[in-house]
Amino acid sequence: MPGMVSMTQPIQQSFNPYTENGGTILAIAGADFTVIAGDTRQSEGYSIQTRYAPKVFRLTDKAVLAVNGFAADGNMFVKKVRQRLEWYRHAHAKDMPIRAIARLIQTMLYARRFFPYYVYNILGGIEEDGTGAVYSFDPVGSYEREACRAAGAAQSLVQPFLDNQIYFKNQTPAAGTAFPKHLPLSTVLPLVIDSFTSATERHIEVGDGLEIYVVLARNSTALAGLQSLRGVQEVTGTNDGERVFVIRRDLKKD
């Protein structure tokens, strides 16, 4: 009616282009190898969109990238990183070192800081000196080199376990002994499988399948034990010396 003050509250309009698609990734660096793993479930809320959505991708024979968060952003980001690495390969007739790949990823993420890729990246592989390396990133490009890192829906469950088993947090060595600086591959692989098995039991967004990528330095002592495992497939692309293997395991599907 004329003269009456409207009591209607203002309506806020919002636009959110992101979503969370679950899943978990992790990486562990050894003396001459690196293990990068991720589950294959892609979900949104209580709905499973697909039971096979890989989160771990081979970039070169020295580098493997795991992505987690918004699946569409993750897939597009991996595509763009691979494109940049292909340009480098054509220009220099060699693969980009993993330290340079880490800096490249940092630059690409920071360039999109005002509309970021909603993905948490973990880069694992072999440095030029033959040692294992893990680089973890936040969505806007901050990164650091670590011995191990987990990310994703079950990060709060997996990371404390890795801190205890890899960094030996809250453990005291026996008298006259010291904890090893690096664990052997035969010890790391069961830790990775146990991490995802326990995360699957406690978290609905983790499950279905597990893909474990193992990057070995040339002349790695871990090669003999790795080839004897069930379901190991080599995905090495060149003859430069480094080798990449993938191990697949089933996880709970409920």
Side-chain angles (χ1 to χ4, degrees):
M1 295 179 62
M4 293 187 62
V5 179
S6 174
M7 301 298 293
T8 304
Q9 297 295 320
I11 300 176
Q12 179 181 1
Q13 304 294 334
S14 63
F15 169 65
N16 182 13
Y18 300 117
T19 189
E20 178 67 55
N21 292 123
T24 296
I25 55 176
L26 68 79
I28 301 172
D32 57 359
F33 67 87
T34 300
V35 177
I36 311 96
D39 73 312
T40 63
R41 176 173 294 182
Q42 179 177 310
S43 60
E44 185 174 7
Y46 291 98
S47 300
I48 297 176
Q49 296 174 336
T50 176
R51 296 187 185 275
Y52 184 70
K55 299 176 180 65
V56 186
F57 304 89
R58 173 191 167 275
L59 300 179
T60 70
D61 285 345
K62 295 182 180 181
V64 173
L65 180 63
V67 297
N68 187 258
F70 181 28
D73 272 1
N75 292 333
M76 180 54 65
F77 185 71
V78 170
K79 180 179 178 180
K80 289 184 177 295
V81 171
R82 281 176 165 170
Q83 183 183 54
R84 295 288 293 272
L85 294 179
E86 185 176 357
W87 292 349
Y88 182 94
R89 193 176 301 113
H90 290 328
H92 302 280
K94 65 177 183 178
D95 286 329
M96 185 182 293
I98 188 172
R99 183 182 302 179
I101 296 175
R103 175 63 70 173
L104 170 66
I105 291 175
Q106 185 268 334
T107 303
M108 294 175 66
L109 291 172
Y110 188 71
R112 286 284 300 270
R113 63 192 179 279
F114 296 117
F115 194 180
Y117 293 105
Y118 183 39
V119 288
Y120 293 85
N121 296 278
I122 300 177
L123 177 68
I126 302 297
E127 291 281 12
E128 292 180 289
D129 62 0
T131 59
V134 169
Y135 293 89
S136 61
F137 302 78
D138 74 359
V140 292
S142 297
Y143 77 106
E144 63 177 326
R145 182 176 175 178
E146 303 180 278
C148 65
R149 174 57 60 182
Q155 179 185 18
S156 60
L157 302 176
V158 175
Q159 189 63 52
F161 176 67
L162 296 182
D163 289 342
N164 179 260
Q165 295 295 305
I166 304 300
Y167 289 122
F168 300 103
K169 297 291 182 66
N170 301 314
Q171 294 193 53
T172 303
T177 65
F179 291 125
K181 185 176 180 181
H182 297 289
L183 294 176
L185 183 61
S186 59
T187 301
V188 170
L189 285 177
L191 288 178
V192 172
I193 295 173
D194 288 347
S195 297
F196 281 92
T197 301
S198 58
T200 302
E201 294 287 347
R202 292 291 183 178
H203 209 297
I204 63 172
E205 295 181 357
V206 182
D208 294 321
L210 173 61
E211 290 189 336
I212 306 171
Y213 279 73
V214 182
V215 187
L216 299 181
R218 61 186 64 192
N219 303 320
S220 172
T221 57
L223 178 60
L226 180 63
Q227 291 178 322
S228 64
L229 295 177
R230 172 179 58 88
V232 176
Q233 177 185 357
E234 184 168 3
V235 292
T236 308
T238 66
N239 295 319
D240 292 340
E242 290 77 16
R243 302 178 70 175
V244 184
F245 297 84
V246 59
I247 305 168
R248 293 182 173 89
R249 293 287 187 269
D250 289 330
L251 296 174
K252 287 183 65 175
K253 299 184 183 298
D254 53 0

